[in-house]
Amino acid sequence: MSIQRQDIIVQAFLLIHIPMAFFLPAVSCQSDSSSSVVVAGYNVSAPAGSKVVLQCVSGRMVWTRDAVRDRQRVVHWDMYRAEPDYAMERVVDMFSTGDKRIYNSYNLGRVGLNPTAFKDGNFSLVIKDVTKNDRGLYSCNLHHLYCHLYETIRVQLNVTKSRRKEQRFWDGHKAVYVVLLGSTVVLPCVNRRTVWTDWSDQEEDQQVVHWDRQSPGIRHDRADRLVDLYASGEQRSYGSLFLKRKMNISNQAFAEGDFSLTISQLQPTDQGIYSCHLHHHYCGLHERRVFQLTVEPPPVQTTAAAKALPSEDKDTTKAESPRVITVLLPDQRHHFLLPLGYVLTSFLLLAFIILIIILVTRRRRTKEFYPQTSMRSSRSPSSSDEFEMDVAEVTACSQEEERRFDYKNNLLKEKAHVNTQPKVIDLDREMRKFSK
């Protein structure tokens, strides 16, 4: 029993240790980039000596330097009435500064939002003394105009007079609340992301873009930093690549939202994995785009001059015009598939012909091995009758020969018995008598 317990303990230890062995390295590799999310991956190939552009564009990183940027965060509730006029109306809206506006005087004092909504991220709508007019489809709309964020949460509100029919459920598209007439209901709308909080007023702390490069076989946490670019205009370049202007980013990057990296005079040493990191702390933006760059051999260019073909009858008085032979080379890499297809087609046709010859030869051999069967099958009823008549005649002839042979033997026996008598028996005469 102790041995079995030890085996069970060892197996349990292995089941726990093996997943942890795979999980811990994965966590360690992503520890440095936990704040960035990979949103795109690209494979880029370019010939050596050419110029390549690794595109990294984001409109959410455009810096507007708006003095009233805090008023650009707003939440508003709308309601859609199915009956009787099928109309959409605004219920309430509130800005991040705390300004709140209710559009219908009927809702004053009975509809409201949490004053600390932009601090705790709870934008739920509170409705007191629910009536039949409150029934409809509500939508909570969260807008961050500067960060280009637009989110909508929908809730269906139904009103009932029976306490037993009160319920809350999800219909697959939205939350449905069935509440008692005259009660208080809270329609949920929660968003606690850091995008609704302002961290710092320093422009250089809000937005930054940097490019990294991983050589083949190098992990992400050991990538080389190429450049850091801040919204304030500050740029920090690392290494000799940017110093030689081999790699470049536009000076209008934050004004246009284009942070693409341009690499000129590509060399095999430039290939690797490039990463574009976009950080906007105020908007809560942390994205990373990955590019796998492969450098191919330079294209082969034929520079040989065209030669004139020799002419049979040359006339030295006339200038001979050069004759040029144009050779068209396929641009596609898979041009060798065309002759390969011809070879395969010819091989299949030859195999088909050999198969037909083998089948015909086997059929002829079968006919030679079984000729009687084919003759009998091709015989007509008249031929079978003639065959039976011939057999009858052959049988009669054989019986006649047997009778003659027996008679001849009898005569010889009689001759042997009367051999002592002088009487001579003429065999020919006796045979003629027998035949008569």
Side-chain angles (χ1 to χ4, degrees), residues 59-78:
R60 296 174 60 183
M61 294 287 290
V62 177
W63 185 257
T64 58
R65 293 181 174 84
D66 191 356
V68 292
R69 63 187 181 191
D70 198 36
R71 291 184 54 85
Q72 294 185 355
R73 294 184 293 166
V74 60
V75 55
H76 61 84
W77 279 86
D78 298 333

Side-chain angles (χ1 to χ4, degrees), residues 416-429:
H417 286 294
V418 295
N419 219 358
T420 55
Q421 298 179 5
K423 185 177 179 179
V424 179
I425 300 174
D426 190 0
L427 294 177
D428 295 333
R429 185 179 60 183

Side-chain angles (χ1 to χ4, degrees), residues 206-423:
Q206 296 292 340
Q207 292 174 278
V208 60
V209 176
H210 60 83
W211 278 87
D212 292 341
R213 176 180 176 272
Q214 299 171 236
S215 300
I218 302 300
R219 292 169 47 183
H220 173 66
D221 56 351
R222 297 183 178 275
D224 297 329
R225 179 64 54 87
L226 297 177
V227 63
D228 289 333
L229 184 64
Y230 293 88
S232 59
E234 180 183 358
Q235 179 176 340
R236 300 175 184 175
S237 303
Y238 303 89
S240 59
L241 296 179
F242 269 89
L243 298 178
K244 296 179 180 179
R245 310 302 297 173
K246 181 181 179 64
M247 300 182 183
N248 189 20
I249 297 179
S250 174
N251 295 329
Q252 302 296 325
F254 280 98
E256 302 173 355
D258 187 357
F259 308 93
S260 302
L261 178 67
T262 303
I263 307 175
S264 59
Q265 297 296 323
L266 276 177
Q267 300 298 328
T269 55
D270 297 330
Q271 61 184 2
I273 300 177
Y274 292 79
S275 302
C276 176
H277 299 257
L278 304 178
H279 295 286
H280 197 315
H281 300 288
Y282 173 70
C283 293
L285 177 66
H286 302 279
E287 297 179 351
R288 180 161 61 98
R289 292 165 174 80
V290 181
F291 301 85
Q292 176 71 46
L293 178 61
T294 304
V295 180
E296 300 178 348
V300 179
Q301 299 179 356
T302 56
T303 58
K307 296 182 179 180
L309 295 179
S311 178
E312 296 181 356
D313 46 349
K314 293 185 177 180
D315 188 2
T316 55
T317 60
K318 296 181 180 180
E320 184 178 1
S321 60
R323 301 180 182 180
V324 180
I325 299 178
T326 304
V327 179
L328 299 179
L329 298 177
D331 294 335
Q332 300 179 356
R333 300 179 183 176
H334 55 276
H335 61 275
F336 68 92
L337 294 178
L338 189 60
L340 181 61
Y342 292 151
V343 173
L344 292 177
T345 303
S346 303
F347 178 75
L348 292 176
L349 182 60
L350 180 61
F352 183 74
I353 294 174
I354 294 174
L355 180 61
I356 292 177
I357 294 173
I358 292 173
L359 293 177
V360 172
T361 306
R362 287 187 176 180
R363 189 169 183 180
R364 288 184 178 179
R365 289 181 180 176
T366 304
K367 289 183 178 181
E368 292 176 0
F369 288 155
Y370 304 98
Q372 296 178 358
T373 305
S374 59
M375 291 174 64
R376 289 180 183 177
S377 61
S378 60
R379 241 182 229 156
S380 61
S382 60
S383 62
S384 61
D385 295 339
E386 294 177 358
F387 179 77
E388 292 176 358
M389 292 175 64
D390 295 336
V391 171
E393 293 176 358
V394 171
T395 304
C397 293
S398 61
Q399 291 178 357
E400 182 68 24
E401 290 177 359
E402 288 178 0
R403 289 175 59 187
R404 290 183 179 181
F405 183 77
D406 293 339
Y407 183 76
K408 190 174 182 179
N409 287 337
N410 293 333
L411 292 178
L412 291 175
K413 288 180 181 179
E414 290 178 359
K415 182 177 179 181
H417 286 294
V418 295
N419 219 358
T420 55
Q421 298 179 5
K423 185 177 179 179

Side-chain angles (χ1 to χ4, degrees), residues 75-91:
V75 55
H76 61 84
W77 279 86
D78 298 333
M79 183 182 66
Y80 173 76
R81 299 182 185 274
E83 295 177 359
D85 49 358
Y86 302 96
M88 176 77 72
E89 66 178 43
R90 178 67 52 87
V91 179

